[in-house]
Amino acid sequence: MSRFLYYFIFLTMFSNIIASVPKILLFESKKGAIPSMIAAVIIGTLLVYIIVKLFDAIPGKSLPEMLKIHTPKWFAYPVLFYLFLCWFTAGLITLITYVFLFITFFSPETSIVNTTFAFVLVISFGVLMKSRSMLYMAEIVIVLFVPLIFFLLIKFFANPKLDWDFIEISMMHANHLPSYSAFGAALYIFVGITNLVIFNKLFTKKHKMGWKQLLIIGFTGMVVLFTTYFVPIGYNGFEQIEDFTFPWVSTSDSIRMKYGLIERVIFIFILSFLGIAFVSLLLHWHVALKILESIFEFKRLKWKGKMLAPYIFVIIFVVISLVLTRKLTQYQLFVFSSYFYESLPIFFTVLIISLVIVKRRAKL
């Protein structure tokens, strides 16, 4: 299997450690969060396998190209618009979460509009990059930040402040029925593979997807989810953990590096995950932009030979981001994120049904 497919999956997995996923899992800690995570790992790994196999049927083509060739317009365009909304929303949630996090812990005096504008200005240039350049940028970020994240996670597990008694108490709630909200949040860590919707056109050979690849993806997903859930409990206790707005950031502030150049782990922690989340957000919005371009083809909108439509779409992304960041509170963002994660089973169903229809009509 191409290494870039692992990057898609791992970037989404790591970027959600300090985003909305842990908050939702911990909020559901007494309502079946643990069985929900187990179910999400099994089903998420299976979904990765199905999606890779379906895209393997038509290598070298993006989903918009497949739908336009093999399905009628009344089916192709509504499906593409729905998928665009999902990718745009995923990026928007990540963006607003990190703006709130940055203002809370780094620069509380800065205007939220200025902070958001600074973020989207950088993101806008990245979103407009070529798809192949996005892949190489993802690889560079993985190589730079993942070793640092592993080092930080070892610090979390090796620190004597991690109280295993709290984790044992949380394990006593493993006998509840799975929570749908927690299941949706946990399933999100496997959504990275769906970036193949656009990036599949760069892969002209079939991917080898056997039990070893599935074992790597499933095992990594399980480690990420259980680390995401149990480490904040081990540091902060089980009873009050659901009240934390950013449980992982509060946890990282409990640790010091005695001989480090920077004593407080929180600064290294946030900057590392910001780097990962930044690329994850770029991938989401790059896919959203490409899908939107496939729906609205303004071929006459040109200036000096360059298509203007992508720039207009990115400006719309920026305006929506600025408006929503000002309007939403942290609680509203939490509710909004919960609804989005709960809709993920529908998203996967629509994507898989579309690919199956394409495969059958293409007679493959």
Side-chain angles (χ1 to χ4, degrees), residues 43-276:
I43 294 173
T45 307
L46 185 62
L47 287 171
V48 170
Y49 176 78
I50 293 169
I51 289 169
V52 172
K53 284 295 178 186
L54 285 172
F55 274 109
D56 267 352
I58 308 180
K61 294 280 185 188
S62 65
L63 184 64
E65 290 170 332
M66 295 181 202
L67 285 173
K68 285 181 178 180
I69 294 171
H70 299 293
T71 62
K73 287 183 179 179
W74 62 264
F75 178 82
Y77 284 93
V79 167
L80 286 174
F81 191 71
Y82 169 73
L83 295 177
F84 155 73
L85 287 177
C86 290
W87 259 280
F88 178 70
T89 306
L92 192 63
I93 289 172
T94 306
L95 171 68
I96 300 175
T97 302
Y98 280 90
V99 168
F100 285 161
L101 191 151
F102 189 84
I103 287 179
T104 305
F105 292 97
F106 274 95
S107 184
E109 302 296 329
T110 308
S111 158
I112 193 166
V113 175
N114 292 340
T115 306
T116 309
F117 187 73
F119 271 66
V120 293
L121 188 65
V122 178
I123 290 164
S124 299
F125 286 107
V127 169
L128 290 165
M129 289 167 62
K130 292 180 180 176
S131 298
R132 191 172 294 281
S133 302
M134 295 287 297
L135 292 182
Y136 294 128
M137 188 176 66
E139 184 168 51
I140 291 169
V141 169
I142 285 274
V143 170
L144 285 177
F145 287 104
V146 168
L148 190 57
I149 288 172
F150 274 117
F151 167 73
L152 292 174
L153 292 178
I154 291 169
K155 291 283 291 182
F156 282 119
F157 279 107
N159 197 296
K161 289 182 180 177
L162 181 68
D163 193 332
W164 290 91
D165 290 339
F166 291 139
I167 295 175
E168 288 178 12
I169 293 170
S170 69
M171 290 292 290
M172 293 173 71
H173 293 267
N175 57 350
H176 293 285
L177 287 172
S179 152
Y180 184 71
S181 182
F183 171 74
L187 192 63
Y188 183 70
I189 70 165
F190 294 96
V191 86
I193 193 65
T194 59
N195 287 317
L196 274 175
V197 164
I198 292 299
F199 289 97
N200 191 56
K201 68 181 179 183
L202 301 179
F203 302 112
T204 53
K205 294 180 181 176
K206 292 188 176 182
H207 303 286
K208 184 184 176 184
M209 173 62 88
W211 66 269
K212 288 181 183 176
Q213 289 76 19
L214 286 176
L215 194 64
I216 292 170
I217 293 166
F219 179 73
T220 309
M222 185 177 67
V223 170
V224 168
L225 271 180
F226 282 80
T227 300
T228 300
Y229 180 73
F230 286 114
V231 169
I233 291 174
Y235 276 88
N236 302 292
F238 182 67
E239 292 302 325
Q240 305 299 325
I241 191 66
E242 63 189 59
D243 297 329
F244 282 61
T245 305
F246 297 105
W248 262 93
V249 180
S250 304
T251 302
S252 69
D253 205 21
S254 309
I255 299 178
R256 299 286 186 273
M257 290 200 296
K258 191 175 178 181
Y259 302 108
L261 293 174
I262 302 174
E263 186 192 12
R264 295 179 69 182
V265 167
I266 185 173
F267 296 117
I268 304 171
F269 182 82
I270 290 179
L271 287 174
S272 302
F273 279 93
L274 272 176
I276 294 284

